[in-house]
Amino acid sequence: MSVAPFPTFTIRQNDLAILAAENRIGDYPVAVRTAREVVSGGFANHSTHPNTWTVYFLVDGQWALVESTRGLRREWSSLDRLEKWLRSCGFRFFWVRNDIDFVETLTEDAAEEEAL
């Protein structure tokens, strides 16, 4: 995956089975770490859980964001929960993208130590 996906449209979660049956979903889904958008109770507490996971699918050559049946962006509080949902939909593999958490680049010395 050379280009970071960015959704250009949305699909409803109940459309996934139809799109998969029509072979309109290409590549693997992408689990993306994002800032929370949906405001509700439970795990959607912004102060405790400001970030969340969402998922993009490649549909007809364009990236699509998954919405709930009610039209809100689907969000998961953990990657484990998202993985279980993807598996329940029949997807065994997926990419992971995290644009929020800082990742320190390894220097040559650190890379050599990691190799040992």
Side-chain angles (χ1 to χ4, degrees):
M1 196 167 88
S2 59
V3 177
F6 186 76
T8 56
F9 68 105
T10 61
I11 57 173
R12 298 281 171 107
Q13 68 181 15
N14 53 341
D15 294 334
L16 284 175
I18 297 166
L19 293 170
E22 294 173 351
N23 291 322
R24 295 177 58 195
I25 297 178
D27 207 8
Y28 298 128
V30 178
V32 182
R33 183 87 165 147
T34 62
R36 183 174 300 283
E37 286 185 7
V38 177
V39 178
S40 63
F43 287 106
N45 182 343
H46 283 270
S47 60
T48 307
H49 304 282
N51 300 321
T52 186
W53 292 93
T54 190
V55 64
Y56 302 159
F57 286 91
L58 188 63
V59 179
D60 299 331
Q62 296 181 1
W63 290 102
L65 173 71
V66 175
E67 291 182 337
S68 68
T69 307
R70 295 181 180 139
L72 300 172
R73 182 175 87 165
R74 279 300 314 255
E75 295 180 341
W76 289 265
S77 58
S78 74
L79 192 55
D80 293 337
R81 291 174 186 245
L82 175 54
E83 178 205 7
K84 288 177 185 175
W85 182 80
L86 285 170
R87 288 183 177 273
S88 74
C89 294
F91 296 95
R92 295 178 55 206
F93 304 98
F94 60 95
W95 295 100
V96 176
R97 180 176 134 193
N98 187 344
D99 293 343
I100 292 178
D101 296 325
F102 176 73
V103 177
E104 191 174 316
T105 56
L106 293 175
T107 62
E108 288 185 30
D109 295 335
E112 289 175 9
E113 290 177 17
E114 289 286 327
L116 298 176

